[in-house]
Amino acid sequence: MKPCSSPDTVVDEIIERVGKHIVLGLPLGLGKANHLVNALYQRACIDTSLTLNIYTALTLEPPTAPNELGRRFLEPLQERFFAGYPRLEYAQALKDNSLPSNISVTEFFLQPAAWIGCNSVQQNYTSVNYTHALDYLISAGVNVITQQVAPEHSHGALGEHYSLSSNPDISVDLLDKRSRGKIDFVMAAQVNRQLPFLGGAAVRDSSELDLVLDDPAYDFALFMPPHQPVSNADHAIALHCTRLIPDGGTLQIGIGSIGNAIAAALVLRHNSPQAFKQLTDQLQCSASWPNGESEPFKQGLYGLSEMLVEGFIELLEAGILKRTVNGYCLHAGFFMGSPLFYRQLQALPQNKRDQIAMMPVNYINDVHDHAHGSEQDKRQARQHARFINCAMKATTDGAVTSDGLENGQVISGVGGQYDFVAQAHTLQNARSIITVRATRKRAGKVSSNIVSQYGHTTIPRHLRDIVATEYGVADLRGKSDAEVIAAMIEIADSRFQEQLVSEAKAWGKLPQSYQVPAAFCRNTPEHLNGLLAGAFKENTLKHFPLGSDFTDTEQRLSRALNLLSETVGTNKATVNLLRLGLTTHPKNHLDELTRMELAAPSKPTEKLYQLLLLGALRSL
């Protein structure tokens, strides 16, 4: 295997080996070999006798601004966060509806909310559990895999090994099956020295790579979305969930602000147990889960996560992630994160990096999979597992919606959520915890995320287990429908409880005598914010608990813009913000206004933007 210095040379070799019908498998998310993919795409655009069928998941695209204020905030960030990331040309063609007829793209997990309304993506989406993706690729006849890899030595000549780094998730099993003669394909790798070299099953012998693009000119910056602010509701959800995690247990958490908040809450519990207990007492956490955990971690936790999220690095550094399985504190299938996260990974001392093993997703998500260890060993290792995943909505009978809307539009995908829920039900003393924000607010209108029914389901009610909102925890496993409905209503926002109770009674699912207990009749944002206000003042809770690559000014702006997106839309809400803006002197927020080029508005629309932004900043 002789390294190539040109993507076109690699494409020539691929066509020479497999012909002009290319079924291309790309890793999920970060692991895509963008330069090789673009070269293949360009070749297929030029040579229409070549067919290119792409199978992948989580095609990453930099964020776009939804409005003028968003544009003013995002444009300076594009240069800092995404300038070095080569865009995938097939993604732009999908957005423009200009994909050539000899090229197709099929995904089983979409970048969340990025492809709403894009007909070609919505029509070609395939709903597949993560553990089924391997067989799906094989049945599709994949004959080429392209993937980014990390060299064994980041400086110098090629070593004997490469790391699949961010994405051993499916590629490891594909390579293993090929070595046993079960399938055949060309493995084309692109070396990227920006990727950290991580161990476990991700480490592969150089002989397994048929073609390698290796030229520092094609190293590129990793896709690195910045942290989003953690809301009061997210912190409350995290505090409730952290009480459910026993010392010596197994932990999985997902990406996003709730996952960040859970990591921060675990660190608080470990380092400041009194402050943690005081805060959870203020939230009346014991009302829905009386015997919660609040002690520091002595045995520590073992991480078993489809995604290596940055919160796990915090837990590793804090000495919480220290229970080992086969010599590792954490097994994960893929990773992606903020610039800060990548710097933390690269800077990890070797002894700590050696505690992380990147593994096939089937090892992590499926206790019954025998290709990577025995079922008995997995069951013994995964003691007291807590699998924590997010959802958009939950019905009062315990069904969960996470990946799509009731009109069929796909938001993201099932991914591994079902796999973890099923695993929680098959492991002894394991629990699935689904987190749901009690409400959503868009354009000034508040709606409940706890509903009586919804026209799309990701996790059916017969797999109901634990659901957590900012107002408490509902333990649903093994309960009757009436008990489940009552528990779900008790963690719903109080503005919607009466309607939920009325509907359940009308359908004969709750006794007519049922009333919401007094302890759950104050489930409002105002009450919650009051309970948490002191913790923010004392810096016990932070809106960016894992740090941020935003400046302090941008951190405040990101929170203000989130508030605007939730609030502006109804006349009353907009007028209230404008009134606040009129009574706020611009000099009080000069840094924020300067960053948004609104310090000296010259047009009526710019003055309006300034007032709205001042009103939002005043409301923080």
Side-chain angles (χ1 to χ4, degrees), residues 306-348:
E306 173 181 285
M307 185 170 182
L308 167 53
V309 296
E310 42 207 292
F312 279 116
I313 304 300
E314 296 289 322
L315 300 181
L316 188 64
E317 297 280 28
I320 296 170
L321 208 65
K322 62 182 180 182
R323 184 171 77 82
T324 61
V325 171
N326 299 327
Y328 297 101
C329 295
L330 172 65
H331 289 102
F334 71 98
F335 67 74
M336 185 181 71
S338 70
L340 179 61
F341 171 56
Y342 298 138
R343 291 198 302 271
Q344 288 174 325
L345 268 183
Q346 292 283 18
L348 272 181

Side-chain angles (χ1 to χ4, degrees), residues 317-394:
E317 297 280 28
I320 296 170
L321 208 65
K322 62 182 180 182
R323 184 171 77 82
T324 61
V325 171
N326 299 327
Y328 297 101
C329 295
L330 172 65
H331 289 102
F334 71 98
F335 67 74
M336 185 181 71
S338 70
L340 179 61
F341 171 56
Y342 298 138
R343 291 198 302 271
Q344 288 174 325
L345 268 183
Q346 292 283 18
L348 272 181
Q350 193 61 47
N351 64 322
K352 288 193 174 181
R353 192 182 292 194
D354 288 343
Q355 295 176 42
I356 301 172
M358 301 301 292
M359 297 293 287
V361 74
N362 281 4
Y363 169 83
I364 294 158
N365 289 27
D366 187 0
V367 72
H368 304 296
D369 174 67
H370 297 290
H372 310 282
S374 72
E375 180 176 335
Q376 181 180 358
D377 288 343
K378 289 181 183 179
R379 288 183 178 276
Q380 289 176 348
R382 299 174 187 191
Q383 61 190 33
H384 299 288
R386 298 294 183 265
F387 302 113
I388 308 177
N389 293 282
C390 296
M392 300 185 301
K393 287 182 179 291

Side-chain angles (χ1 to χ4, degrees), residues 249-268:
T250 302
L251 178 65
Q252 181 260 334
I253 51 178
I255 193 173
S257 57
I258 292 177
N260 292 349
I262 289 170
L266 286 165
V267 173
L268 178 65

Side-chain angles (χ1 to χ4, degrees), residues 410-422:
V410 181
I411 299 292
S412 54
V414 177
Q417 187 171 103
Y418 170 83
D419 297 326
F420 284 118
V421 172

Side-chain angles (χ1 to χ4, degrees), residues 78-199:
Q78 297 285 358
E79 182 66 27
R80 276 163 45 198
F81 292 102
F82 301 108
Y85 178 76
R87 304 282 289 270
L88 288 159
E89 294 179 17
Y90 74 78
Q92 189 59 50
L94 287 169
K95 287 188 173 182
D96 297 341
N97 196 31
S98 60
L99 197 72
S101 59
N102 61 319
I103 302 174
S104 67
V105 181
T106 304
E107 298 205 52
F108 72 86
F109 195 95
L110 305 181
Q111 186 174 354
W115 298 98
I116 293 292
C118 182
N119 292 348
S120 58
V121 172
Q122 292 289 333
Q123 291 168 17
N124 286 322
Y125 167 81
T126 299
S127 187
V128 176
N129 286 340
Y130 207 170
T131 47
H132 299 163
L134 172 67
D135 291 337
Y136 173 65
L137 280 175
I138 293 171
S139 66
V142 63
N143 57 15
V144 179
I145 301 290
T146 63
Q147 177 158 350
Q148 282 193 82
V149 296
E152 189 168 16
H153 304 292
S154 58
H155 305 288
L158 291 172
E160 293 297 319
H161 298 90
Y162 292 90
S163 172
L164 300 176
S165 188
S166 62
N167 284 85
D169 46 351
I170 297 174
S171 301
V172 163
D173 283 328
L174 286 168
L175 288 169
D176 289 348
K177 282 183 177 292
R178 188 179 70 165
S179 71
R180 299 195 301 272
K182 301 293 185 181
I183 54 175
D184 190 26
F185 58 87
V186 171
M187 182 69 178
Q190 176 174 347
V191 172
N192 189 349
R193 292 160 183 82
Q194 301 282 345
L195 276 175
F197 190 98
L198 292 178

